[in-house]
Amino acid sequence: MLWIMRFSGLFSAALVIIVLSPSLQSFPPAEAIRSSHLDAYLRFPSSDPPPHRFSFRKAPVFRNAADCAAADIDSGVCNPSLVHVAITLDFEYLRGSIAAVHSILKHSSCPESVFFHFLVSETDLESLIRSTFPELKLKVYFFDPEIVRTLISTSVRQALEQPLNYARNYLADLLEPCVRRVIYLDSDLVVVDDIAKLWKTNLGSKTIGAPEYCHANFTKYFTPAFWSDERFSGAFAGRKPCYFNTGVMVMDLERWRRVGYTEVIEKWMEIQKSDRIYELGSLPPFLLVFAGEVAPIEHRWNQHGLGGDNVRGSCRDLHPGPVSLLHWSGSGKPWFRLDSRRPCPLDTLWAPYDLYGH
């Protein structure tokens, strides 16, 4: 477990103490197969993949502690003892995704019991993941950008318009029906606590769980046209909506499938195309459907907003309290700033998980 303590001075600094659980047992890697159901979502392009632009060091092998539940290596993705984590992979954020996986394994007491579901829109990334984490339990799912391309509207940042940002909307369709719960994580974060703690979140009757921020100005996430039209703003009637960040969510896929939330989100995206009710990409549809109906999770599991900009003097500090996950949401990413030698102070906490280069 990792504890981060803040102190003031000319610059922010962080003291990191890492205590890892012993690694004892071993399981062979699970066979990775591409999902064969729902061909509409899983159609691979026929063009030849581009050459690799990255090289990553092989990660250390992480073993389960002695008290981890025994896993049947032949049961695959449907093994009920597994912790399921979904992350997107693309070339722009690949370095961040690999660091995120590395951090999860390093701080997990049962790393061999974590199953990773990687969502891709490019077909030549699996080999990079396998060479970096040879014993990782994983499965790769191709998300066809055409599924959402006609639903995506322009946003305040071009990065928010990328189709893969919307793959989280389709997790219930992409993942096997036996996967009843999943932790969805963005690619620009590191986990510094045991992921099993987040996995055990009690969702109660809710479909998703996430840290909520009820002091944030919720009205700014939607346009004046939205708030002035009862047809739209009435969606929050009877609810007390709070902002939550969709980069860290525990999702009940069984309930999601039963209610059909993917179609509900798509409907709001269609309304956005015609009525321009928000500006911020894939976040507002989630707020429209779930804000006020979210199982609360401790803020320690999403210390978000660290993607400030040192050049512009907008580096962020940590929020008060314990930390289990550091999230560089925002325009600035630690790997770019470290490479440019203009990092923010907290970027040094991301660096130990970076496996880029020889």
Side-chain angles (χ1 to χ4, degrees):
M1 186 175 184
L2 181 150
W3 297 90
I4 299 173
M5 303 172 60
R6 299 192 299 153
F7 58 90
S8 60
L10 184 60
F11 296 100
S12 299
L15 173 65
V16 181
I17 304 173
I18 301 176
V19 181
L20 294 177
S21 301
S23 301
L24 300 176
Q25 299 180 352
S26 170
F27 293 104
E31 180 183 3
I33 57 175
R34 299 192 188 278
S35 179
S36 60
H37 70 295
L38 296 171
D39 290 340
Y41 297 128
L42 306 179
R43 177 171 56 82
F44 280 84
S46 58
S47 58
D48 293 333
H52 291 320
R53 303 195 293 270
F54 298 98
S55 176
F56 292 91
R57 303 186 302 278
K58 184 182 295 187
V61 176
F62 298 97
R63 302 300 187 193
N64 281 1
D67 58 349
C68 295
D72 181 355
I73 62 175
D74 296 324
S75 63
V77 68
C78 293
N79 187 328
S81 67
L82 295 173
V83 171
H84 295 277
V85 177
I87 300 178
T88 60
L89 294 178
D90 67 346
F91 279 117
E92 184 175 0
Y93 286 87
L94 182 62
R95 190 167 166 187
S97 297
I98 287 180
V101 173
H102 186 199
S103 71
I104 292 169
L105 296 174
K106 187 169 186 177
H107 296 288
S108 174
S109 58
C110 303
E112 294 172 292
S113 298
V114 182
F115 196 105
F116 289 89
H117 303 264
F118 293 112
L119 311 175
V120 304
S121 291
E122 298 163 286
T123 61
D124 62 333
L125 294 174
E126 182 175 348
S127 60
L128 278 172
I129 289 293
R130 290 199 162 279
S131 62
T132 306
F133 303 101
E135 298 193 28
L136 195 67
K137 287 181 170 65
L138 67 90
K139 188 170 180 178
V140 175
Y141 306 78
F142 181 78
F143 178 72
D144 187 353
E146 297 305 317
I147 295 297
V148 293
R149 200 177 299 280
T150 60
L151 293 172
I152 297 175
S153 57
T154 56
S155 182
V156 292
R157 291 208 327 264
Q158 187 175 4
L160 300 177
E161 301 172 21
Q162 298 305 310
L164 200 58
N165 289 340
Y166 296 83
R168 74 193 85 184
N169 303 358
Y170 298 88
L171 282 170
D173 298 323
L174 291 168
L175 274 55
E176 287 74 8
C178 66
V179 180
R180 303 172 62 182
R181 169 183 286 219
V182 70
I183 298 172
Y184 175 82
L185 297 176
D186 273 352
S187 299
D188 52 356
L189 54 77
V190 292
V191 177
V192 292
D193 203 344
D194 193 340
I195 194 71
K197 297 177 183 177
L198 182 59
W199 176 255
K200 295 174 182 177
T201 296
N202 181 7
L203 296 181
S205 62
K206 309 302 183 184
T207 303
I208 66 171
E212 291 183 291
Y213 303 90
C214 294
H215 296 296
N217 180 9
F218 190 80
T219 61
K220 71 178 182 180
Y221 295 102
F222 300 94
T223 63
F226 172 87
W227 293 112
S228 63
D229 194 327
E230 179 64 24
R231 294 176 303 162
F232 306 141
S233 59
F236 294 120
R239 290 195 265 167
K240 295 182 179 179
C242 296
Y243 164 75
F244 64 94
N245 182 282
T246 54
V248 179
M249 295 186 292
V250 180
M251 306 173 68
D252 184 334
L253 298 183
E254 187 175 40
R255 184 177 288 114
W256 183 295
R257 296 175 183 122
R258 186 168 62 250
V259 177
Y261 282 119
T262 296
E263 290 76 17
V264 179
I265 289 175
E266 286 181 334
K267 181 61 179 177
W268 279 113
M269 293 175 69
E270 291 171 358
I271 292 174
Q272 160 71 356
K273 294 286 287 187
S274 60
D275 293 271
R276 195 67 182 177
I277 57 175
Y278 55 79
E279 305 286 353
L280 286 172
S282 62
L283 168 64
F286 263 84
L287 297 179
L288 283 162
V289 176
F290 297 111
E293 296 291 341
V294 174
I297 292 176
E298 288 183 273
H299 289 175
R300 66 187 301 156
W301 284 105
N302 195 352
Q303 284 266 350
H304 68 290
L306 303 184
D309 188 339
N310 195 28
V311 176
R312 298 177 182 175
S314 61
C315 289
R316 301 293 182 88
D317 205 349
L318 291 176
H319 307 296
V323 179
S324 293
L325 185 150
L326 297 160
H327 188 185
W328 279 262
S329 57
S331 59
K333 304 306 172 188
W335 53 94
F336 292 133
R337 294 197 296 243
L338 288 164
D339 286 352
S340 68
R341 299 186 180 182
R342 302 290 296 273
C344 288
L346 291 178
D347 294 346
T348 58
L349 301 180
W350 179 89
Y353 306 101
D354 184 19
L355 295 173
Y356 178 68
H358 295 288

